[in-house]
Amino acid sequence: MKIQLALDRLTIEQAVAVTRPVSPYIDWIEVGTSLIKEFGMDSVRALRNAYPDHVIVADMKTFDNAVYEFEMCFSAGADIATVMGAAPLVTIEACMNTAAKAGKKVMIDLLHTSEEQLEALQMYSDAIFCLHVSKDQQEMQGSTQGTEGFYVPPSLSGEGRKLAFAGGITVDMAQALTRIYPHVMIIGSAITKAKDPAAAAKTFYQLKKE
Amino acid sequence: MKIQLALDRLTIEQAVAVTRPVSPYIDWIEVGTSLIKEFGMDSVRALRNAYPDHVIVADMKTFDNAVYEFEMCFSAGADIATVMGAAPLVTIEACMNTAAKAGKKVMIDLLHTSEEQLEALQMYSDAIFCLHVSKDQQEMQGSTQGTEGFYVPPSLSGEGRKLAFAGGITVDMAQALTRIYPHVMIIGSAITKAKDPAAAAKTFYQLKKE
């Protein structure tokens, strides 16, 4: 299980700084969509250079222009890039091919993806599928990932499927999630906005060992 | 009818330069998603500063984090921002509200938006609805807007609805489109990659008067 630190609504300098004390306890560093749209690929380059030994995830949320966008963030140093599951299949296919050529990985963000589309996506066995409760769903509807059952669509429940979970994940939720033991647990403000981010990250880190 | 020049796959300097000779013939300048993801809000600020009298459209393709992303691009000088029609309704609602507060406008990009979702979106009478054939659909599937009929979903065909058309629009397609006389015609490479961009833009400009 990997812990992915999501960096959002920060300047590049803040993002680099908040990551420093928590870096021993996390595996992957996500350059959030808000950083990418505010600062462009400078944000990816900065995190890449500051943390050369971590996996860098560029949360591109690609919906079109797949080859251009994926090559752009891979050149900037990303190891993994995200595409929206709700995008046209031709775009997702192009993301998969572009990543494969570059020796990189794709995370498919399933936010607001239909069941029908999900059926079509399950053939991408190399992709990481991210079950995502969005910021707006959290902040405006009070939705979060649960602390009880986590819904995994039947089309994604097969053996060997790489799943990621994102959306306001707290320590309690993470504890429940370890029962599923997903490939990736994406943590944002539970670390970045903690009084003691290093201590918070360490708590998540220790969950991996239980 | 407005002509929106779409700027994509360019550096900021190229985008500013290619717009110069065509600026008398266009109404709106779109800072494309590829510029935003590559250069961040610097791209919006540069076009805003270079063309203070044009309407600036930031093609944010927002899918989450609506308030943050929309405030970000409006602060950078955008007059209109885009949200994906396929996004959760809570996000689209937040985009509408953020734009209204700022005295700005929303364009809803209908790429890969389901009929069911479209039904729910039709209440946003202030929004501009963009019927969009994507770059990937054009380049990998050979799809374009037609030169014959243009499909307008029944839920958007009412009186006073503001429609935009995008996707590889050539002069021939534009000529056919003038029969519908949409609110916005979005033109990219037919101007930016023309041998003589000013002449190409002028041809589109003259269609408005016919």
Side-chain angles (χ1 to χ4, degrees), chain A residues 8-190:
Chain A
D8 257 305
R9 301 181 183 177
L10 299 166
T11 64
I12 293 176
E13 294 68 28
Q14 289 169 335
V16 169
V18 78
T19 304
R20 187 67 62 199
V22 311
S23 61
Y25 309 115
I26 60 169
D27 305 286
W28 294 1
I29 298 170
E30 173 196 321
V31 186
T33 312
S34 59
L35 267 83
I36 290 171
K37 289 183 178 172
E38 194 160 1
F39 307 110
M41 287 300 106
D42 283 350
S43 61
V44 176
R45 277 185 287 267
L47 273 303
R48 168 78 293 159
N49 292 338
Y51 301 100
D53 299 327
H54 282 72
V55 165
I56 301 290
V57 181
D59 193 11
M60 297 292 281
K61 286 194 170 51
T62 293
F63 211 95
D64 185 19
N65 206 10
V67 176
Y68 193 91
E69 290 195 1
F70 267 41
E71 287 183 346
M72 178 200 299
C73 72
F74 292 149
S75 296
D79 303 296
I80 300 173
T82 67
V83 60
M84 297 312 298
L89 285 174
V90 64
T91 295
I92 296 169
E93 177 81 20
C95 289
M96 295 302 301
N97 293 341
T98 305
K101 269 187 211 159
K104 312 277 185 164
K105 291 281 177 200
V106 177
M107 187 180 285
I108 302 180
D109 182 335
L110 297 176
L111 176 58
H112 221 230
T113 300
S114 69
E115 284 288 337
E116 187 192 350
Q117 174 98 346
L118 205 48
E119 286 289 327
L121 295 179
Q122 57 176 317
M123 67 170 164
Y124 298 118
S125 52
D126 280 351
I128 302 156
F129 286 86
C130 179
L131 293 155
H132 185 191
V133 178
S134 77
K135 285 180 181 57
D136 291 343
Q137 288 169 334
Q138 291 171 57
E139 296 170 5
M140 296 172 197
Q141 297 180 324
S143 308
T144 56
Q145 297 285 3
T147 51
E148 304 293 323
F150 288 86
Y151 177 69
V152 177
S155 49
L156 294 183
S157 56
E159 192 77 20
R161 180 71 73 185
K162 294 191 198 79
L163 296 181
F165 286 83
I169 292 178
T170 61
V171 172
D172 285 352
M173 290 179 213
Q175 217 145 20
L177 258 181
T178 54
R179 271 174 251 142
I180 302 178
Y181 213 80
H183 191 63
V184 194
M185 217 156 55
I186 303 177
I187 319 286
S189 54

Side-chain angles (χ1 to χ4, degrees), chain B:
Chain B
M1 191 169 72
K2 307 293 182 187
I3 295 179
Q4 175 174 327
L5 177 69
L7 299 167
D8 257 305
R9 302 181 183 177
L10 300 166
T11 64
I12 293 177
E13 294 67 29
Q14 289 169 334
V16 169
V18 78
T19 303
R20 188 67 61 198
V22 311
S23 61
Y25 309 114
I26 59 168
D27 304 286
W28 295 1
I29 298 170
E30 173 196 321
V31 185
T33 311
S34 59
L35 267 82
I36 290 172
K37 289 183 178 171
E38 194 159 2
F39 307 110
M41 288 300 107
D42 283 350
S43 61
V44 175
R45 277 185 288 267
L47 272 304
R48 167 78 293 159
N49 293 338
Y51 301 99
D53 300 326
H54 282 71
V55 165
I56 301 290
V57 181
D59 193 10
M60 297 291 281
K61 287 194 170 48
T62 292
F63 211 95
D64 186 17
N65 207 8
V67 176
Y68 193 91
E69 289 195 2
F70 267 41
E71 287 182 346
M72 178 201 296
C73 72
F74 292 150
S75 297
D79 303 296
I80 300 173
T82 66
V83 60
M84 297 312 297
L89 284 174
V90 64
T91 295
I92 295 168
E93 177 81 21
C95 289
M96 295 302 301
N97 293 340
T98 305
K101 270 188 210 161
K104 311 277 184 164
K105 292 281 178 199
V106 177
M107 186 180 285
I108 303 180
D109 182 335
L110 298 176
L111 176 59
H112 220 231
T113 300
S114 69
E115 283 287 338
E116 187 193 349
Q117 174 97 346
L118 205 48
E119 285 289 327
L121 295 178
Q122 57 175 317
M123 66 169 163
Y124 297 118
S125 52
D126 281 351
I128 302 156
F129 287 85
C130 178
L131 294 155
H132 185 190
V133 179
S134 77
K135 285 181 180 57
D136 290 344
Q137 288 168 336
Q138 292 170 57
E139 295 170 6
M140 297 172 195
Q141 297 180 322
S143 308
T144 55
Q145 298 285 3
T147 50
E148 303 294 323
F150 289 85
Y151 176 70
V152 177
S155 50
L156 293 183
S157 56
E159 191 76 22
R161 181 70 73 185
K162 293 190 198 79
L163 296 182
F165 286 83
I169 292 178
T170 60
V171 172
D172 284 352
M173 291 180 213
Q175 216 144 20
L177 257 181
T178 53
R179 273 174 249 142
I180 302 179
Y181 212 80
H183 191 63
V184 193
M185 218 156 56
I186 303 176
I187 319 286
S189 54
I191 293 176
T192 60
K193 295 203 176 153
K195 273 189 192 164
D196 182 344
K202 201 169 177 181
T203 308
F204 286 103
Y205 174 75
Q206 280 161 342
L207 285 179
K208 297 207 297 184
K209 309 196 164 171
E210 284 171 12

